[in-house]
Amino acid sequence: MSSNKSIGIGVLGCGRIGVMHAELIAQRIEGAHLAGVYDVISESAQKVATKFGCQQFSDPESLMSSADVNAIAICTSTDTHVEVLIMASKYKKPVFCEKPISLSLTETDRALKAISDSKTPLMLGFNRRYDPTHRSVRDSVANGVVGDVHIARITSRDPAPPPVAYAKVSGGIFIDMTIHDFDMARYVVGSEIVSVYATGAVRIVPEFAEIGDLDTVAIMLQHANGAITMIDNSRQAVYGYDQRVEVFGSKGMTASENPLMTSTISRNENGTLLAKMPYFFLDRYIPAYIAEWNEFMGVATGKIQPVVTGADGRASLVAGLAAWKSVREGRVVKTSEIVG
């Protein structure tokens, strides 16, 4: 499809996640083209613009106001999201924004108010909802296959810890990592989180203790419908990128397992050998990102309303803030306690 018949998407932020989104838009999303990019580091944006033959903008507002840009992807650092979203609300073009909106609930609400007041369509980037295996677990719940949900279990373990410098500004493990699992809990169980109990330790990176972060955590959630979700996170699983979801209910259980890099099976007198698991999140979730963008195309063309909304981002941030409060105070924390 030629550019003048497709949706032009402008990407703000050309770091790792922004480059990935730009590549998908440019190469793999039907009906879309990469209309332009911006990054505070000009050289990063220039590389992407040159590779895909799109415009490099000199500032965010020039990208947003461009007639060639029909929709906006915000992939900048978290600390910029609020101001960029408020700026985007002036142009009322459909917006895709990576999570979290902010590390502050007050600032999150400020951005969401601007978006709501301007009636700007906003979709949040919780890509794991679009993973086929995780989605099948959610569908089993929604379709009544497992009956009334009693317990959900979510495991999320990264293959290697992030740099300490990143952890210092990311909001810590409950905001930069577990936030995906809080969203997944709400998504698969189909009920809001009403209380959080969290505990954690530093078992991998001693320097995390110095900045007040954790690298190994366990969380228990109570949902409004009475169901319980248990989450475990680790910053380092030596065997690969470990992502699993299970739901147990009155009629049975359903679970998503990790895919393997290949379907090869080797058997000999010593036993059975399977392929390795994906090591990097892009190895696991590219199909989910593509499905996410395909859904956003429905938003960008006005065919559907955003399914993953700013309210979803807010709810997961509240759960993350409640988890930190729980660790620091050693008690169950109701999400209603988190007000700003």
Side-chain angles (χ1 to χ4, degrees):
M1 184 176 288
S2 63
S3 295
N4 62 353
K5 294 183 179 180
S6 67
I7 298 296
I9 301 176
V11 174
L12 295 166
C14 294
R16 181 174 67 181
I17 198 71
V19 169
M20 183 274 294
H21 284 309
E23 289 178 345
L24 293 180
I25 293 163
Q27 298 179 324
R28 303 184 68 173
I29 307 304
E30 184 177 355
H33 68 276
L34 187 62
V37 293
Y38 163 80
D39 193 275
V40 66
I41 301 174
S42 179
E43 294 80 2
S44 298
Q46 185 177 25
K47 287 180 182 178
V48 178
T50 299
K51 182 176 182 179
F52 297 112
C54 69
Q55 185 173 351
Q56 177 186 354
F57 289 90
S58 59
D59 59 82
E61 192 142 21
S62 63
L63 180 148
M64 294 179 187
S65 63
S66 171
D68 296 327
V69 173
N70 310 117
I72 300 159
I74 300 175
C75 308
T76 52
S77 59
T78 297
D79 63 312
T80 68
H81 286 179
V82 169
E83 296 306 327
V84 174
L85 279 167
I86 291 172
M87 186 185 300
S89 70
K90 296 190 300 183
Y91 297 97
K92 303 182 181 182
K93 297 178 181 180
V95 175
F96 171 90
C97 183
E98 276 294 347
K99 53 82 216 147
I101 293 172
S102 172
L103 305 183
S104 160
L105 188 58
T106 301
E107 286 295 283
T108 296
D109 288 341
R110 187 164 71 92
L112 293 181
K113 184 178 187 304
I115 290 292
S116 176
D117 288 349
S118 65
K119 296 182 171 55
T120 299
L122 171 65
M123 178 170 162
L124 262 288
F126 283 114
N127 65 290
R128 293 182 194 178
R129 291 188 181 214
Y130 298 90
D131 176 78
T133 57
H134 297 333
R135 177 165 277 190
S136 68
V137 174
R138 181 261 183 187
D139 289 347
S140 293
V141 174
N143 296 335
V145 174
V146 300
D148 294 331
V149 177
H150 295 174
I151 297 171
R153 298 175 61 93
I154 300 174
T155 290
S156 181
R157 302 170 186 163
D158 285 350
V164 174
Y166 168 79
K168 284 182 178 179
V169 298
S170 71
I173 191 168
F174 294 125
I175 306 300
D176 73 54
M177 183 176 179
T178 322
I179 195 167
H180 279 289
D181 304 310
F182 293 136
D183 182 69
M184 188 56 53
R186 296 175 61 251
Y187 175 64
V188 299
V189 174
S191 180
E192 293 298 330
I193 299 165
V194 296
S195 70
V196 179
Y197 177 75
T199 187
V202 177
R203 304 288 294 162
I204 301 162
V205 183
E207 291 81 3
F208 281 175
E210 299 172 12
I211 63 170
D213 201 1
L214 303 164
D215 56 34
T216 307
V217 299
I219 308 105
M220 185 172 292
L221 311 176
Q222 189 87 46
H223 293 266
N225 66 358
I228 297 168
T229 294
M230 295 175 286
I231 300 171
D232 74 84
N233 291 155
S234 173
R235 291 289 201 184
Q236 185 175 56
V238 296
Y239 52 86
Y241 188 53
D242 190 359
Q243 302 280 301
R244 289 171 279 142
V245 178
E246 175 190 297
V247 177
F248 168 78
S250 60
K251 294 182 180 179
M253 63 83 69
T254 185
S256 60
E257 255 296 346
N258 291 296
L260 302 179
M261 293 301 290
T262 73
S263 59
T264 303
I265 301 175
S266 298
R267 293 190 176 97
N268 57 36
E269 68 273 16
N270 296 318
T272 300
L273 180 66
L274 301 177
K276 291 183 177 181
M277 290 164 43
Y279 187 80
F280 192 46
F281 77 96
L282 292 181
D283 296 328
R284 168 71 184 269
Y285 283 126
I286 284 295
Y289 283 115
I290 292 172
E292 181 178 55
W293 273 111
N294 284 333
E295 183 161 290
F296 181 75
M297 289 300 294
V299 175
T301 55
K303 295 177 181 177
I304 63 171
Q305 292 297 309
V307 176
V308 189
T309 67
D312 293 309
R314 186 187 194 280
S316 294
L317 175 63
V318 166
L321 296 173
W324 274 122
K325 188 176 181 69
S326 177
V327 166
R328 289 163 182 156
E329 299 182 6
R331 66 179 179 90
V332 175
V333 174
K334 295 181 179 179
T335 52
S336 59
E337 296 178 48
I338 308 302
V339 295

